[in-house]
Amino acid sequence: MQRVVAHVCLAGRPARAAVSGDLWPDVPEDRAQASLRSALWRLRRSAPELVDASHDTLRLAVGVRIDVHEMTTWAELVCDPRTEADRVSLPRPDLLGDLLPGWYDDWVLLERDRLHQLRLHALETVATRLCTAGRHAEALQAAHLAIRAEPLRESAHRTVVRIHLAEGNLAEAMRAHATFRDLLLRELGVPPTLQMQELVSRWQVPATAGAPGTTRVARPRPVAAAATAGALRA
């Protein structure tokens, strides 16, 4: 019953044959159709009128809210450049989870990956737009939500660095860069991309160089110092 409801939620108004074929792919068509009828009969008993099965297609009853649709609506809103800044906001916490965790059907895996990528791009867009509007705390929260969902996603880490720089927090920007650099080297053995490096390169000082605005004072070499001491004793 759960699989039937989930499939209808994701597919909209699927045909009965499509539902039975996706949910029971390894059995003959007549048996798959019989299994679907059995599931719908049990569903009507446990949740009457939740699914309308009176036609050749299945659909949810009018008024049923679907979190996947609400997440998609939020993502489309915040990613639309015509949306005014005051309407850009973080998603509700209940919209941040993965789709049907623990389910490995092909029709679930494809939709899970699509929604995961949509959410990541929307969170990064929200972070960028909130940063531009001067709402730095919310912008950082959005960027960190993207990082929590995908820890090795460089574009999210770059967004964090940009937000810190926009606030004038150079030390935090450098720390965020270093944290991601070390994570990437530890997990994948590769350095960050040139895009990430260019964000902080203007403030990085070579180890052999002095601090900006200071004058380096030359010190005598040890050999010269020893020779001078010897001359004084003579």
Side-chain angles (χ1 to χ4, degrees):
M1 289 187 296
Q2 290 178 341
R3 289 157 60 84
V4 170
V5 173
H7 195 291
V8 175
C9 286
L10 296 178
R13 297 187 62 175
R16 284 173 173 262
V19 176
S20 60
D22 284 339
L23 299 188
W24 293 276
D26 300 324
V27 302
E29 182 178 353
D30 57 340
R31 287 184 57 189
Q33 291 281 1
S35 296
L36 176 61
R37 287 193 299 271
S38 175
L40 290 172
W41 178 81
R42 287 182 284 118
L43 183 60
R44 282 194 295 270
R45 296 191 62 184
S46 60
E49 300 182 359
L50 175 61
V51 174
D52 180 359
S54 59
H55 304 284
D56 291 336
T57 59
L58 304 180
R59 65 177 181 178
L60 292 180
V62 176
V64 176
R65 294 174 55 189
I66 305 173
D67 55 359
V68 168
H69 294 177
E70 293 178 349
M71 197 282 289
T72 302
T73 299
W74 164 80
E76 291 174 349
L77 176 69
V78 299
C79 291
D80 189 341
R82 296 169 297 181
T83 301
E84 297 179 359
D86 58 358
R87 298 185 62 196
V88 175
S89 63
L90 297 170
R92 300 196 318 262
D94 60 307
L95 301 182
L96 293 172
D98 285 334
L99 174 68
L100 299 173
W103 293 35
Y104 300 102
D105 308 76
D106 289 341
W107 56 275
V108 174
L109 294 175
L110 292 172
E111 189 68 4
R112 181 185 299 158
D113 185 62
R114 184 188 73 82
L115 293 171
H116 181 66
Q117 293 298 323
L118 177 63
R119 185 187 300 111
L120 289 175
H121 282 95
L123 285 170
E124 291 177 6
T125 300
V126 167
T128 299
R129 299 192 65 177
L130 291 178
C131 180
T132 302
R135 297 160 60 184
H136 299 114
E138 295 172 272
L140 278 174
Q141 188 175 350
H144 281 295
L145 285 173
I147 291 174
R148 182 185 303 173
E150 199 66 65
L152 295 177
R153 186 177 175 87
E154 182 177 304
S155 55
H157 286 273
R158 288 201 304 266
T159 303
V160 169
V161 174
R162 291 192 186 100
I163 296 169
H164 285 312
L165 292 175
E167 284 191 287
N169 294 326
L170 179 58
E172 293 187 42
M174 300 297 288
R175 189 182 304 118
H177 172 271
T179 298
F180 175 68
R181 178 200 61 206
D182 296 343
L183 174 66
L184 203 58
L185 289 173
R186 183 171 62 252
E187 295 294 330
L188 301 180
V190 297
T193 66
L194 184 60
Q195 289 176 277
M196 181 60 135
Q197 185 61 28
E198 287 177 343
L199 288 176
V200 297
S201 59
R202 60 179 294 190
W203 290 284
Q204 289 179 324
V205 180
T208 57
T214 61
T215 303
R216 297 181 60 191
V217 179
R219 295 182 178 180
R221 295 167 56 189
V223 173
T228 303
L232 289 174
R233 284 196 299 272

